[in-house]
Amino acid sequence: MVVPNAQRDAIDSIVQYLDRINLKESARMLERESGLFFNVAYFEDCFLRGAFEAAEDYLTGFTGVHDNNFTINVVFELRWHKFLAALNDNNREEARVIIREKLQPLAVYNKDLLGFANTLVNMHNFRMHEAFLFYGEPQYHRMERLELIRMNLNSNPLLHGKLRYAIHSVYNSLVIAPPIPAALAVPAASLVPIGPAPRAAPQPLAVPAGPRNYTTVTPSWFPRPRRN
């Protein structure tokens, strides 16, 4: 649905006013409900501090989980790091719930996802797995994933013209990122369980028509069975 410029400007003004009077939650709710402005700074803050449900709830105001590969990649990062946070807190019961309720729906895009997650949850210390030998503070490793998340947000056609960054102009307004030309858009990365210190970057995939045709690969840094 195309929103008239006057209506868009009015909502923009209300959002900025709500931010100025410190009604942040109301501002974010209006952004989400209108679907016009995606506050990247808020989304990234939620991700970094572990408010994964709030981040996903905000994201799904703009795009469905399975709408395209860029959304799928971002949702995967949110759910995978929520799983790692449960493991880090030694909360195996919560980790198993996350596998069942959050990771299971994404398993269609990667056949190794559930097996890897179950291997980690059944270990006495998941940091003994070769993929997590250098896993330290969870927030640090989330910061390492921000670039990938930003790439997928910027390349998501459903978010074009909606992304806003916390860069204030002289008029105290947020800068809206312009749409990225299709020729410059970043292809969706493969959906894979991630460790903290990959040995090589995964090769980007061509963007298929939709999630049902999503092709998965196993990058060189994904743990493989040792050969005898």
Side-chain angles (χ1 to χ4, degrees):
M1 180 180 67
V2 178
V3 178
N5 288 335
Q7 182 178 339
R8 180 186 177 93
D9 292 343
I11 293 175
D12 186 23
S13 296
I14 295 172
V15 168
Q16 293 186 51
Y17 174 72
L18 291 172
D19 273 324
R20 282 199 298 271
I21 63 175
N22 207 33
L23 294 178
K24 307 293 185 182
E25 185 175 345
S26 297
R28 305 293 79 77
M29 185 180 300
L30 180 55
E31 289 168 345
R32 182 187 185 280
E33 291 184 353
S34 68
L36 294 175
F37 306 108
F38 187 98
N39 192 306
V40 179
Y42 167 75
F43 182 79
E44 291 182 348
D45 177 67
C46 286
F47 176 66
L48 290 176
R49 60 187 172 87
F52 303 110
E53 291 294 335
E56 184 170 337
D57 183 61
Y58 186 75
L59 176 66
T60 54
F62 301 84
T63 171
V65 171
H66 302 280
D67 277 354
N68 58 51
N69 300 313
F70 304 109
T71 302
I72 292 168
N73 284 337
V74 175
V75 170
F76 169 73
E77 292 291 331
L78 296 175
R79 296 183 180 184
W80 182 251
H81 282 275
K82 181 178 182 179
F83 171 68
L84 293 181
L87 291 182
N88 186 68
D89 294 337
N90 202 29
N91 191 337
R92 298 175 188 276
E93 181 178 350
E94 181 182 357
R96 290 189 174 93
V97 170
I98 294 170
I99 292 175
R100 184 171 63 253
E101 297 181 357
K102 298 295 185 178
L103 298 182
Q104 177 74 46
L106 301 179
V108 64
Y109 306 116
N110 188 306
K111 62 183 178 60
D112 298 315
L113 176 59
L114 296 183
F116 186 41
N118 280 301
T119 295
L120 295 177
V121 81
N122 289 323
M123 294 181 68
H124 175 69
N125 182 354
F126 77 100
R127 284 179 170 83
M128 297 302 294
H129 194 286
E130 63 178 326
F132 290 89
L133 294 177
F134 301 101
Y135 189 83
E137 174 59 40
Q139 189 174 31
Y140 170 79
H141 297 291
R142 291 172 203 156
M143 290 180 65
E144 290 186 324
R145 306 301 292 178
L146 278 183
E147 182 179 0
L148 175 63
I149 289 175
R150 289 169 183 165
M151 288 166 58
N152 280 280
L153 291 176
N154 280 311
S155 299
N156 195 327
L158 297 177
L159 298 178
H160 283 179
K162 300 180 180 182
L163 299 180
R164 311 180 82 183
Y165 295 86
I167 305 173
H168 292 270
S169 71
V170 293
Y171 300 104
N172 198 37
S173 61
L174 291 173
V175 174
I176 301 177
I180 296 178
L184 301 179
V186 178
S190 60
L191 176 64
V192 292
I194 50 95
R199 292 186 291 274
Q203 294 298 315
L205 300 176
V207 182
R212 292 184 180 179
N213 298 324
Y214 195 80
T215 304
T216 58
V217 297
T218 301
S220 60
W221 50 268
F222 182 75
R224 292 181 172 84
R226 297 183 182 276
R227 295 181 177 179
N228 294 326

